[in-house]
């Protein structure tokens, strides 16, 4: 009886670890790189918004390239959001006090997905934001979505700042459609 229990236990362990490996095959990242301009301003401590152009999700193509389909997606989460100053050459994020980024899509409510409070004035040209763990599949399954940057400045900026918005979304799909 003991050998049977041992063999059964070993088979169960192999099955569990094999499922984890198969599950990893249906998980992948989607990256988006967009640009936004934060215009020069003589106003400090007032909120203002900057919008990315409509972002084409290319979800059908992306899912197909990762051997899945839209209807098999179980979960999509924002893994990381990074902002990088692309111009001017002397530009940095010292003018920002805080930033929040919202996602929206047709017939979907706007949701805050990323933010940074109390941004330090340290001359940085790169800003890594905190992210939510919300399920965002209803936004990325759409043909297009939008990002809105809501910012509060604590310094006057004398020239437009061109910002690269880099986002990475983690996608988890059903295994074999099960």
């Amino acid at each position: 009886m003991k050998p049977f229990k041992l063999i059964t236990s070993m088979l169960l362990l192999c099955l569990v670890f094999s499922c984890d490996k198969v599950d990893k095959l249906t998980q992948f990242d989607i990256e988006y790189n967009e640009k936004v301009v934060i215009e020069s301003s003589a106003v400090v401590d007032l909120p203002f918004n900057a919008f990315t152009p409509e972002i084409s999700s290319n979800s059908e193509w992306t899912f197909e390239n990762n051997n899945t389909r839209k209807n098999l997606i179980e979960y999509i989460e924002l893994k990381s959001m990074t902002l990088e100053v692309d111009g001017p050459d002397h530009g940095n994020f010292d003018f920002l006090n805080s930033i929040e980024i919202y996602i929206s899509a047709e017939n979907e409510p706007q949701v805050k997905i990323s933010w940074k409070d109390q941004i330090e004035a340290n001359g940085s040209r790169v800003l890594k934001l905190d992210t939510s763990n919300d399920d965002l599949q209803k936004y990325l399954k759409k043909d297009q979505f939008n990002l809105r940057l809501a910012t509060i400045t604590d310094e006057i900026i004398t020239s437009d700042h061109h910002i690269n918005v880099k986002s990475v979304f983690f996608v988890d799909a059903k295994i074999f459609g099960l």
Side-chain angles (χ1 to χ4, degrees):
M1 186 69 159
K2 284 188 179 186
F4 177 73
K5 285 183 179 180
L6 182 63
I7 292 171
T8 304
S9 297
M10 296 288 277
L11 285 173
L12 282 173
L13 282 173
C14 289
L15 181 62
V16 168
F17 288 112
S18 295
C19 286
D20 286 344
K21 288 181 182 179
V22 170
D23 196 35
K24 294 286 183 200
L25 296 175
T26 62
Q27 297 174 344
F28 55 93
D29 291 339
I30 301 175
E31 296 182 19
Y32 294 99
N33 295 308
E34 295 300 320
K35 294 185 183 292
V36 67
V37 176
I38 298 177
E39 296 179 356
S40 60
S41 171
V43 180
V44 178
D45 288 333
L46 288 179
F48 68 92
N49 295 306
F51 298 88
T52 63
E54 281 193 329
I55 301 167
S56 178
S57 68
N58 295 320
S59 60
E60 293 286 344
W61 179 84
T62 304
F63 297 151
E64 186 177 310
N65 279 347
N66 286 282
N67 301 314
T68 192
R69 294 183 311 274
K70 209 183 262 195
N71 65 327
L72 297 178
I73 300 303
E74 290 184 306
Y75 185 76
I76 299 177
E77 175 181 284
L78 179 61
K79 187 174 175 180
S80 68
M81 175 85 58
T82 306
L83 306 180
E84 185 175 342
V85 175
D86 192 35
D89 291 338
H90 63 278
N92 58 47
F93 287 110
D94 288 357
F95 67 94
L96 281 181
N97 183 43
S98 64
I99 188 167
E100 296 176 340
I101 298 183
Y102 295 84
I103 191 170
S104 62
E106 184 179 347
N107 299 322
E108 298 298 339
Q110 181 173 265
V111 175
K112 182 168 86 169
I113 59 171
S114 193
W115 64 91
K116 188 71 164 182
D117 297 320
Q118 302 302 316
I119 298 169
E120 292 183 38
N122 59 11
S124 178
R125 293 178 59 85
V126 177
L127 190 59
K128 184 165 175 50
L129 305 181
D130 300 319
T131 59
S132 72
N133 58 357
D134 295 336
D135 185 357
L136 303 172
Q137 64 178 302
K138 59 186 173 184
Y139 298 91
L140 272 70
K141 284 181 176 180
K142 300 277 186 175
D143 291 334
Q144 297 178 330
F145 63 91
N146 295 309
L147 296 178
R148 177 176 67 91
L149 286 69
T151 63
I152 297 179
T153 61
D154 59 7
E155 289 181 12
I156 295 172
I157 54 174
T158 58
S159 58
D160 292 353
H161 280 58
H162 298 264
I163 309 295
N164 290 327
V165 180
K166 298 178 181 181
S167 51
V168 179
F169 292 87
F170 168 77
V171 179
D172 190 9
K174 293 178 185 175
I175 300 172
F176 305 121
L178 301 174

